[in-house]
Amino acid sequence: MSEVTIYIDGQEYRVPANTNLVDVAKFYADNDIPVFCYHPKMAPVGMCRMCLVKMGSVEKNRETGEVVTDENGNPKIRWFPKLQTACTQTVYDGLAIITNSEEVQVARDDIIEFILTSHPLDCPICDKGGECPLQNLTMRHGPGQSVFYYEDKMHLDKHVPLGELIYLDRERCIQCARCTRFCDELVGDDVLAFHERGRRLQIVTISDPPFDTKFSGNTTDICPVGALTTADFRFGARPWELKEVPSLDPYGPEGANISLSTRLDRDAGGRIVIKRVMPRQNEYVNEIWISDKTRFGHHHTRSDERLTKPLIRQNGQLAEASWEEAYQVITDRLRAAKSLGVIAGPNQSNEDLWELKQLASHVENHHLGVFPATMSGGDIVNTVGVGVGTNFLDLKKGDVIVVVASDLEEEAPIWYLRTKVARDRGVKLVLLNARPTKLSKYAKYNLTYAYGDAVSAINSLISAVIGAGKINDEILSRVDGYDELAKSVKKPAYTNFTEAAEAIGDAQNMIVLAGSEGLTLAQQRELMQACANLLIVTGHVGRPNNGLIPVWHGANIQGAYDLGFTAEATEAIYQESLDVVLVAGCNPVGEVVEAEALQNANFVVVTSLFETETTAIADVVLPRQSFAERDGTFTSGERRVQRFYTAQGVIGESLPDWRIFAEIHYRLGGPKPKLSAGAVMAEINKAVPSYAEMRYKKLAEMPRQFPDVGGEDLYYGGTAYQNRGGIGQQTPTVAEDPEARLSVRPVEAMTPKFDGLVVIPTTLLYDRGVLFRRSTLMHQRIPAPHIVINPEDAEAQGITDGDTVAIVVEGHRYEVQVKIDKTLPRGAVLMPRRLSNRPDPSVPTVLESIEKIVQPVPVTEG
Amino acid sequence: MENILLRNRTIPEIGTFETYLEHGGWEAFKKAFSMSPDEVIQEVLNSNLRGRGGAGFSTGRKWSFIPKDAERKYVVVNADESEPGTFKDRELLEFNAQQVIEGAMIAAYAIQATAVYIYFRGEFWDIAHNFEQEIAKAREANLIGQNILGGDWSCEFYTHLGAGAYICGEESAMLNSLQGLLGQPRVKPPFPVMKGGGLYYEPTVVNNVETLANVPWIIVNGADAYRAIGTPESPGPKIFCLSGHIAKAGNYEIPLGTTFRELLYDLAGGPQHEGKGFKALLPSGASGPVIPLTEDMMDTPMTYESLVELGSVLGSASFIVMEEGTDMVWAAYKMAQFFKHESCGKCTPCREGTYWLNQLMTRIISGQGTMRDLEILENAATQMQGKSLCALGEFATSPILGTLKHYRAEFEAYVNGEKQKELPASKTVAVAH
């Protein structure tokens, strides 16, 4: 990166070119230029005028380009007559500013005074009090005495709900437009706007439903005053009472870094509880953003419905027992087990998985399954996954992001956001899907295929790349199987992909995000291989900002694959009648119809936070701990291994899964349980080559990040952005070893032939999953069970939008609402997962029947 | 002197395409079309025509800033005439529409624009409708639209109506409004002529209606002839809008450099009421400092430079004249109200400052102010200076500071309890306690 010389208060600094003056002053000169409207993640607007500085340019000799100096040897500077806003200034060579003169100080004092003319002084009851940029800057620049010897403030509404999640205090708003710009410019959701003008200028929500974005909570973080607060936290605690504990999003594959703000709480019986969830800065992962699911989905951690004691089935009923009794029953049964199926849930930590694997190895005939079993190919990811050091922020103009078979906004909102913002920087987005998604309008190339045909689509793309002469010849010397691959794609199913193929071939960097929508597990695995083929032959592997990212349906599916668990094993467990089944932290029986077969197992052990359909068939139920009560590591889809830390007190007698499995294993003759999760990781470091460097200490390393938004700053935002937990570490991929051979192979499309309508299971962000549904605040955002259908198909079936219908799929009957979507291809009936209290089909399945339910006329009481 | 701009005064139907043609209309455009675009820019540059919207920037220079290689470029005609006391563009638009259209098309040719937009203030509904018809006639004659006059260049001409906001007269707020965004000014640079700063972020020339009305005459008669009118620094004719306490209010087209006396006495007949003298002048509507209108200055020629020397600005030359006996505090109060109402709210000093100034002025005018209020008033207005995002925040301070400077005693009469005005309940504010 090229550097330029700038002068701040007479001091010379070398700083990166094309960076923002405010960011640079803070990072390189430790000079906090105060701001309200400016935010380092958004384009500057120069509205609040708080950042006024004296600005000028160094005089240079026109011929030599040398800096002209005065008699003292200091550079001569030509100053602007008026103060200038620092936030709208990109640094250039010879830029000079003065921030400590009286003129500048007075200007700052003046602006603060103006802002305070209409800002209420209700800091004692304001949620932002204690971490408020305006409060802080008032302490520094405020006059100390008011000239308002009369009551002159404008009074406005103080509790305006912008939807059910966020409240607006119109008096406190200082019209900085950070919230509207975040929604409009970054996320792309046009949901907030200014209304009126002048002093009456105010924020309104313009969407229906109100504030309709999956990122609304972030506006409360970037709000520089207490104008926007969350329904979850408002009036809940004071910031200085809170202890920030670094943690991770327990839901998504992105590995979003969060901070759990905890305190001892009277309402929780004096226990330590999570009062709110804040983003924790990790520029590699989620920057400073989290989805509303991550922010508001934490209530399961302290739900009254949590299991507190082990349960053992006696006379058909589950009855409370001690841990020792439970261990006894389990070990007795496992000693005699003929076969064992293990199903690991989506947020089993690496330590849990490791101990689970050790335990399972006790039974010779065992399967290590992962849940949900929607996607495969973790091993492929370990070959061609994104290179170490990958950062979406580094993708530049001309680079390419490919998204295939995924509705990214619903399945991985942080990747959606980062993809969308990358596209705004000029990254070309290539979208392959059977239907339009919210990302479609940002795509440079929308390549549509028929449902189930994703592999053909990628094959066609490879064919077009070959046709355009864009194969990376350099890499072919270390690739096996290229000729067979080239031969296999000679007759592409789709012939209009040339432009996209050229963009891919010309891109310096390319990331492929591969999902699973509309695919069977076998097809999905082939899709992963097809994506690997594409990445390899175009040379987009083995280096940062290139490679494959799987859109897993869970926080640690990658870790499960890394430690030997697979979705294929889960299918086998469903299909084979196994003697013993151990389900760790998930609810297959309640979620997928195939898992009903687990009832046939002779003995079922379940670790769980709650009673579920799966615990209902268990012989022993063990209370596990949520992510908030223990520590551990998750591995994200980008293969970043990251730590989460113990935040709250233990609920009942629950234990971390790794401990449970280690105790059982110990009783079966295994080693003594480790004393900490860190000690378990030390074992993994030794046993798993790709995890050799993933030591806890290393994962906790915390380099200074740019822009510097955490910590003591007066202006950027909430203090909770600060990252004290580390930024984690990516596991290396095979492709990064220059000696390693890479193989491509032809993949078969395996496109199924269906007659009639096919139910396609899809994944929504907000569903009635076991954990998320405990956050009652979010219930309005969880849609009712429904199907989405093309209008022509609907007409043929005699149904219309809003109808309630009964559908039958593989003998299972569902009552669902009908939503019509004209963008959906004919023949496909989308059925989002986990919206009802019934298990759903997990793969595309023929719709057997659809029948309108005649609604009973509501009876009105006389 | 023959009118160059207000030709409707002598040729009643000049605003229609047919009559305009009969009187040499569109000859200038055809002549320009026979020249190269650069020659057209050079001619306008040589004429030293200065923008009539208020800033007085060289029109030719502005045109020359447009990057030649830009794929899309626009001309936007600023017809959002909303400065209090300004009604010069309105007469041109109402009665001499074709000359404005022709001037805009010459500008469009000079920068090889892809389209021209004219942004009318919302109240110009009838004018906009008439414009549509006049544009259609020119389009039919192949002067607008596809392959103009049989050449390669195509340029469409669109009309747009604002929704009633003073700030949309500020060029970047107008561009936002044209794009369907909130009418708030943009940070400059990038300026509208630059890539990223104009309409749809493409290079754009924004010119005032009166400025463009000058252009056809310059092309036909040449820059030298134009510079012969007015003064070297401020050449050409200028329309002065006279309102307030003046015997004959209205628009006066006179060469720049005419003296105050010639305009105010010889042409406009002096003060409105016999026996009263002039007291004060707002030379640029509400947005320039008020100056005492004294006998000493009557023989000063009116140019962009001379008004600055007098401590004010020529701006759009909308003279609001006040004669003896005018309550200057009341006048300042009305202007404080105006700016409080029209501040867009984007930047802090203007949004909060205009509100605060209005609160203070309301208290003072209703007889409840104190000497301390005067002090705060002066401080608050001074505090706004040099800090706002656009010029509106700057303008808002000038009526207050100008009046305080020249008529402080009148303020003191209000805070000393000698004077007060009854205000309707809706206009009153909280008072000292």
Side-chain angles (χ1 to χ4, degrees):
Chain A
M1 198 188 290
S2 63
E3 288 192 336
V4 293
T5 302
I6 64 169
Y7 302 84
I8 301 176
D9 298 336
Q11 281 277 333
E12 192 180 313
Y13 296 94
R14 292 287 291 169
V15 301
N18 298 319
T19 42
N20 184 281
L21 175 57
V22 172
D23 295 345
V24 158
K26 178 166 180 57
F27 198 85
Y28 294 94
D30 199 19
N31 188 322
D32 285 353
I33 298 174
V35 294
F36 291 115
C37 69
Y38 174 68
H39 191 281
K41 295 288 177 189
M42 293 186 267
V45 284
M47 290 165 67
C48 75
R49 319 303 286 176
M50 191 62 210
C51 64
L52 290 170
V53 293
K54 189 175 171 69
M55 198 179 285
S57 292
V58 164
E59 266 184 54
K60 285 184 185 172
N61 184 311
R62 286 190 182 222
E63 274 145 39
T64 62
E66 272 174 32
V67 174
V68 180
T69 52
D70 61 15
E71 57 275 19
N72 300 326
N74 295 320
K76 272 175 99 173
I77 294 162
R78 244 183 253 132
W79 299 103
F80 280 98
K82 281 196 209 173
L83 298 180
Q84 304 289 315
T85 47
C87 80
T88 53
Q89 187 63 54
T90 303
V91 294
Y92 59 87
D93 203 55
L95 172 69
I97 58 165
I98 298 288
T99 68
N100 56 4
S101 67
E102 197 191 335
E103 185 190 16
V104 172
Q105 293 303 322
V106 167
R108 291 176 180 178
D109 297 353
D110 288 352
I111 297 293
I112 283 285
E113 182 168 41
F114 276 132
I115 290 175
L116 294 179
T117 58
S118 26
H119 190 82
L121 294 181
D122 60 353
C123 308
I125 56 150
C126 177
D127 284 312
K128 206 80 169 190
E131 55 179 16
C132 172
L134 178 57
Q135 197 179 35
N136 288 347
L137 287 170
T138 300
M139 298 301 281
R140 187 192 267 187
H141 295 287
Q145 195 184 354
S146 176
V147 296
F148 272 39
Y149 61 103
Y150 39 80
E151 174 52 48
D152 233 2
K153 296 202 183 209
M154 194 178 237
H155 290 295
L156 297 163
D157 294 343
K158 290 189 77 71
H159 307 280
V160 183
L162 299 176
E164 77 281 23
L165 301 178
I166 309 293
Y167 280 81
L168 167 65
D169 184 321
R170 291 221 158 104
E171 284 190 347
R172 292 181 190 155
C173 177
I174 60 166
Q175 288 84 20
C176 71
R178 278 184 177 183
C179 56
T180 58
R181 288 181 287 137
F182 170 76
C183 295
D184 277 8
E185 292 171 21
L186 256 66
V187 184
D189 289 337
D190 198 7
V191 293
L192 293 184
F194 272 132
H195 181 57
E196 280 280 5
R197 69 174 179 234
R199 185 59 199 85
R200 291 154 298 161
L201 193 70
Q202 51 196 266
I203 299 291
V204 291
T205 173
I206 51 172
S207 63
D208 182 21
F211 213 160
D212 186 18
T213 170
K214 294 186 168 64
F215 302 92
S216 66
N218 294 300
T219 59
T220 65
D221 302 337
I222 59 180
C223 180
V225 292
L228 293 174
T229 50
T230 68
D232 193 30
F233 178 65
R234 65 199 307 255
F235 307 130
R238 308 317 310 263
W240 56 86
E241 303 165 348
L242 298 172
K243 182 167 176 267
E244 300 294 338
V245 181
S247 190
L248 295 171
D249 171 29
Y251 293 107
E254 310 100 309
N257 287 208
I258 56 175
S259 185
L260 302 176
S261 303
T262 62
R263 75 160 190 192
L264 292 167
D265 206 68
R266 188 184 58 186
D267 292 346
R271 287 201 311 263
I272 293 177
V273 294
I274 299 166
K275 296 302 289 182
R276 66 174 182 185
V277 175
M278 293 285 283
R280 173 166 62 103
Q281 187 188 16
N282 189 334
E283 291 295 307
Y284 287 100
V285 180
N286 54 313
E287 301 169 45
I288 50 169
W289 314 123
I290 54 175
S291 74
D292 287 350
K293 184 176 192 177
T294 309
R295 186 182 301 267
F296 301 122
H298 62 90
H299 298 91
H300 64 271
T301 59
R302 62 169 182 281
S303 165
D304 290 339
E305 295 164 8
R306 280 278 299 272
L307 296 173
T308 55
K309 283 175 84 79
L311 305 171
I312 299 176
R313 193 168 296 278
Q314 287 165 334
N315 307 322
Q317 297 293 315
L318 286 171
E320 287 188 356
S322 72
W323 276 104
E324 227 21 82
E325 286 164 344
Y327 289 145
Q328 194 65 48
V329 174
I330 296 165
T331 46
D332 285 352
R333 190 61 186 76
L334 277 178
R335 278 198 189 96
K338 290 186 275 297
S339 58
L340 170 65
V342 162
I343 300 178
N347 61 4
Q348 290 283 298
S349 77
N350 291 318
E351 296 75 11
D352 301 339
L353 294 159
W354 181 253
E355 291 294 354
L356 184 54
K357 185 179 177 179
Q358 306 313 309
L359 168 62
S361 67
H362 185 80
V363 179
E364 196 178 338
N365 178 6
H366 69 267
H367 302 268
L368 299 176
V370 66
F371 187 84
T374 44
M375 270 185 76
S376 180
D379 49 329
I380 297 170
V381 177
N382 278 324
T383 307
V384 298
V386 285
V388 173
T390 291
N391 188 342
F392 274 70
L393 289 174
D394 292 338
L395 294 176
K396 296 177 297 291
K397 195 171 174 167
D399 291 344
V400 168
I401 296 177
V402 178
V403 181
V404 54
S406 175
D407 183 348
L408 213 51
E409 190 210 14
E410 299 286 354
E411 297 179 72
I414 293 299
W415 289 338
Y416 169 85
L417 178 61
R418 302 192 91 202
T419 299
K420 191 263 164 192
V421 174
R423 167 264 183 199
D424 296 342
R425 286 195 306 271
V427 170
K428 289 176 183 163
L429 179 56
V430 180
L431 215 54
L432 294 102
N433 211 335
R435 63 172 170 112
T437 63
K438 205 159 158 183
L439 211 45
S440 301
K441 69 173 168 185
Y442 304 114
K444 178 97 180 165
Y445 307 105
N446 273 300
L447 312 180
T448 310
Y449 56 78
Y451 260 112
D453 211 16
V455 168
S456 301
I458 297 290
N459 278 345
S460 302
L461 206 46
I462 295 172
S463 177
V465 168
I466 295 172
K470 300 286 184 185
I471 293 295
N472 184 309
D473 296 327
E474 217 171 294
I475 202 168
L476 285 188
S477 61
R478 52 185 289 221
V479 174
D480 298 323
Y482 173 71
D483 294 338
E484 293 82 351
L485 175 69
K487 211 168 130 194
S488 73
V489 297
K490 274 226 165 92
K491 286 188 186 137
Y494 303 91
T495 52
N496 53 343
F497 290 0
T498 312
E499 278 182 45
E502 280 174 6
I504 287 170
D506 293 338
Q508 201 190 343
N509 299 302
M510 175 167 83
I511 287 176
V512 176
L513 290 139
S516 55
E517 185 176 302
L519 302 171
T520 64
L521 188 60
Q523 286 173 331
Q524 206 284 328
R525 189 178 170 82
E526 292 300 89
L527 174 64
M528 297 291 271
Q529 180 60 49
C531 292
N533 291 345
L534 175 65
L535 285 160
I536 289 170
V537 300
T538 54
H540 293 299
V541 292
R543 51 198 171 95
N545 310 320
N546 287 274
L548 179 61
I549 299 178
V551 187
W552 300 122
H553 291 145
N556 197 32
I557 309 277
Q558 183 63 46
Y561 269 91
D562 293 346
L563 299 176
F565 294 73
T566 65
E568 284 80 0
T570 311
E571 284 202 331
I573 294 167
Y574 294 154
Q575 282 152 18
E576 294 170 27
S577 287
L578 295 174
D579 187 20
V580 177
V581 170
L582 199 170
V583 179
C586 54
N587 180 25
V589 179
E591 294 186 8
V592 294
V593 292
E594 293 88 335
E596 285 176 350
L598 297 181
Q599 290 177 18
N600 303 330
N602 298 321
F603 188 72
V604 177
V605 180
V606 178
T607 72
S608 187
L609 293 175
F610 296 98
E611 280 185 25
T612 65
E613 289 82 354
T614 309
T615 63
I617 66 156
D619 296 281
V620 181
V621 178
L622 304 170
R624 63 187 287 254
Q625 287 177 357
S626 74
F627 76 109
E629 297 144 67
R630 35 134 337 155
D631 62 345
T633 58
F634 291 150
T635 306
S636 76
E638 294 178 80
R639 297 181 339 285
R640 182 170 292 273
V641 184
Q642 304 183 100
R643 289 180 65 179
F644 59 94
Y645 297 76
T646 308
Q648 72 168 35
V650 174
I651 302 283
E653 296 178 15
S654 60
L655 288 174
D657 281 274
W658 66 265
R659 182 69 190 261
I660 299 171
F661 306 139
E663 293 284 355
I664 298 170
H665 191 207
Y666 175 56
R667 284 162 178 76
L668 287 168
K672 219 165 172 300
K674 297 278 180 298
L675 291 174
S676 67
V680 179
M681 181 50 96
E683 290 265 294
I684 302 175
N685 297 151
K686 276 182 252 161
V688 182
S690 62
Y691 280 62
E693 297 297 316
M694 305 296 135
R695 294 183 305 279
Y696 264 31
K697 203 173 164 189
K698 183 148 190 178
L699 300 180
E701 278 174 12
M702 194 51 250
R704 195 174 175 208
Q705 303 186 76
F706 183 89
D708 186 358
V709 297
E712 303 298 314
D713 62 283
L714 284 165
Y715 53 94
Y716 274 161
T719 51
Y721 284 152
Q722 192 170 20
N723 188 342
R724 291 203 205 86
I727 60 166
Q729 179 85 15
Q730 276 175 287
T731 63
T733 56
V734 173
E736 277 162 287
D737 173 4
E739 305 296 313
R741 300 291 300 173
L742 300 167
S743 40
V744 294
R745 65 166 174 85
V747 282
E748 243 184 280
M750 298 195 300
T751 307
K753 289 275 174 281
F754 288 114
D755 288 327
L757 299 176
V758 181
V759 170
I760 309 284
T762 59
T763 299
L764 297 184
L765 188 65
Y766 303 144
D767 60 21
R768 294 185 51 76
V770 174
L771 307 188
F772 187 61
R773 71 164 176 260
R774 260 71 194 186
S775 292
T776 50
L777 179 64
M778 297 301 287
H779 281 187
Q780 285 187 52
R781 305 261 155 166
I782 303 173
H786 66 272
I787 54 170
V788 189
I789 188 168
N790 175 292
E792 288 167 51
D793 286 338
E795 203 184 337
Q797 298 293 331
I799 56 174
T800 53
D801 200 71
D803 279 353
T804 302
V805 296
I807 60 170
V808 177
V809 188
E810 279 197 5
H812 292 76
R813 184 173 181 277
Y814 304 91
E815 288 187 11
V816 292
Q817 287 180 3
V818 175
K819 289 188 183 176
I820 305 285
D821 183 350
K822 63 179 189 318
T823 69
L824 202 62
R826 288 206 65 173
V829 177
L830 305 188
M831 184 166 159
R833 297 181 168 107
R834 285 185 296 278
L835 293 182
S836 68
N837 52 3
R838 310 246 356 242
D840 305 307
S842 62
V843 293
T845 315
V846 172
L847 180 71
E848 283 164 31
S849 72
I850 184 164
E851 177 196 353
K852 196 161 169 171
I853 299 176
V854 179
Q855 297 284 359
V857 180
V859 180
T860 47
E861 284 179 35
Chain B
M1 197 193 87
E2 181 200 358
N3 276 345
I4 290 171
L5 306 170
L6 298 173
R7 293 171 72 202
N8 51 295
R9 296 279 174 96
T10 45
I11 312 164
E13 292 294 314
I14 189 98
T16 64
F17 185 67
E18 302 76 16
T19 313
Y20 190 62
L21 278 190
E22 282 168 26
H23 292 85
W26 289 94
E27 288 306 320
F29 179 71
K30 285 172 189 159
K31 183 177 174 191
F33 199 79
S34 70
M35 298 155 69
S36 77
D38 281 347
E39 284 167 355
V40 177
I41 293 176
Q42 195 56 48
E43 194 67 34
V44 175
L45 197 58
N46 293 346
S47 77
N48 203 11
L49 168 63
R50 296 176 64 170
R52 303 300 198 225
F57 190 79
S58 160
T59 305
R61 279 194 74 194
K62 193 186 265 189
W63 294 5
S64 72
F65 288 149
I66 296 288
K68 303 269 179 266
D69 54 353
E71 203 178 311
R72 287 165 199 279
K73 307 172 251 199
Y74 301 104
V75 169
V76 175
V77 187
N78 188 344
D80 187 72
E81 185 175 53
S82 32
E83 187 63 45
T86 312
F87 37 82
K88 63 188 181 64
D89 294 345
R90 178 176 183 150
E91 184 171 346
L92 289 170
L93 295 165
E94 244 179 319
F95 303 110
N96 198 6
Q98 284 291 337
Q99 189 166 328
V100 177
I101 298 171
E102 186 182 10
M105 285 309 291
I106 294 169
Y109 175 75
I111 67 156
Q112 291 289 293
T114 38
V116 180
Y117 288 80
I118 181 162
Y119 185 97
F120 295 103
R121 63 178 291 170
E123 293 83 350
F124 285 178
W125 196 84
D126 281 346
I127 294 175
H129 257 256
N130 179 53
F131 242 77
E132 295 259 334
Q133 290 167 16
E134 293 301 326
I135 291 166
K137 288 179 204 163
R139 188 185 292 114
E140 214 154 283
N142 195 214
L143 297 161
I144 291 171
Q146 293 296 309
N147 300 94
I148 291 165
L149 296 174
D152 296 333
W153 176 58
S154 301
C155 181
E156 201 34 82
F157 201 124
Y158 301 99
T159 62
H160 185 91
L161 275 166
Y166 173 70
I167 188 60
C168 290
E170 196 281 340
E171 57 183 4
S172 63
M174 181 175 66
L175 296 176
N176 273 350
S177 175
L178 253 179
Q179 285 178 219
L181 305 172
L182 197 62
Q184 291 188 332
R186 300 175 183 171
V187 169
K188 289 183 244 181
F191 295 96
V193 291
M194 296 154 72
K195 175 98 186 151
L199 182 63
Y200 302 112
Y201 315 106
E202 304 291 349
T204 301
V205 159
V206 181
N207 278 149
N208 171 261
V209 167
E210 186 189 349
T211 313
L212 291 171
N214 276 284
V215 170
W217 196 93
I218 293 170
I219 296 298
V220 168
N221 299 285
D224 293 343
Y226 187 79
R227 274 208 320 278
I229 308 165
T231 70
E233 285 78 28
S234 302
K238 175 85 192 81
I239 304 176
F240 287 76
C241 312
L242 263 53
S243 61
H245 299 144
I246 188 85
K248 286 184 272 177
N251 284 325
Y252 292 88
E253 180 184 334
I254 49 175
L256 284 163
T258 308
T259 63
F260 283 98
R261 188 182 309 284
E262 283 171 288
L263 174 61
L264 296 178
Y265 284 101
D266 301 352
L267 291 170
Q272 188 179 15
H273 299 101
E274 221 161 299
K276 283 197 176 178
F278 286 127
K279 179 175 186 182
L281 174 70
L282 281 162
S284 181
S287 55
V290 65
I291 47 173
L293 193 46
T294 60
E295 190 53 33
D296 297 352
M297 61 183 265
M298 277 300 163
D299 293 312
T300 311
M302 300 180 293
T303 63
Y304 288 102
E305 307 78 48
S306 67
L307 265 290
V308 172
E309 276 166 38
L310 290 172
S312 191
V313 290
L314 182 63
S316 56
S318 12
F319 284 13
I320 300 175
V321 182
M322 289 170 265
E323 60 184 15
E324 285 168 354
T326 306
D327 184 340
M328 298 309 290
V329 181
W330 184 80
Y333 164 63
K334 295 312 281 182
M335 284 183 275
Q337 271 194 320
F338 172 78
F339 284 112
K340 175 230 159 198
H341 184 68
E342 294 295 352
S343 168
C344 81
K346 182 168 181 172
C347 75
T348 306
C350 179
R351 178 183 67 237
E352 306 295 345
T354 54
Y355 175 76
W356 197 4
L357 294 183
N358 181 60
Q359 295 286 95
L360 288 158
M361 285 305 297
T362 306
R363 190 170 18 260
I364 292 166
I365 201 85
S366 57
Q368 286 157 320
T370 62
M371 282 306 278
R372 177 132 187 247
D373 279 329
L374 280 193
E375 201 182 302
I376 296 172
L377 184 71
E378 190 159 13
N379 283 345
T382 313
Q383 203 167 311
M384 287 169 70
Q385 287 186 314
K387 299 194 185 74
S388 312
L389 180 72
C390 78
L392 196 154
E394 210 74 31
F395 294 159
T397 65
S398 45
I400 305 282
L401 290 175
T403 316
L404 266 172
K405 183 175 164 194
H406 297 294
Y407 305 99
R408 197 175 182 96
E410 293 192 32
F411 275 96
E412 284 168 4
Y414 272 97
V415 297
N416 289 340
E418 292 161 31
K419 267 178 108 174
Q420 73 173 77
K421 279 218 175 359
E422 286 292 324
L423 294 180
S426 64
K427 299 284 184 205
T428 52
V429 294
V431 295
H433 47 251

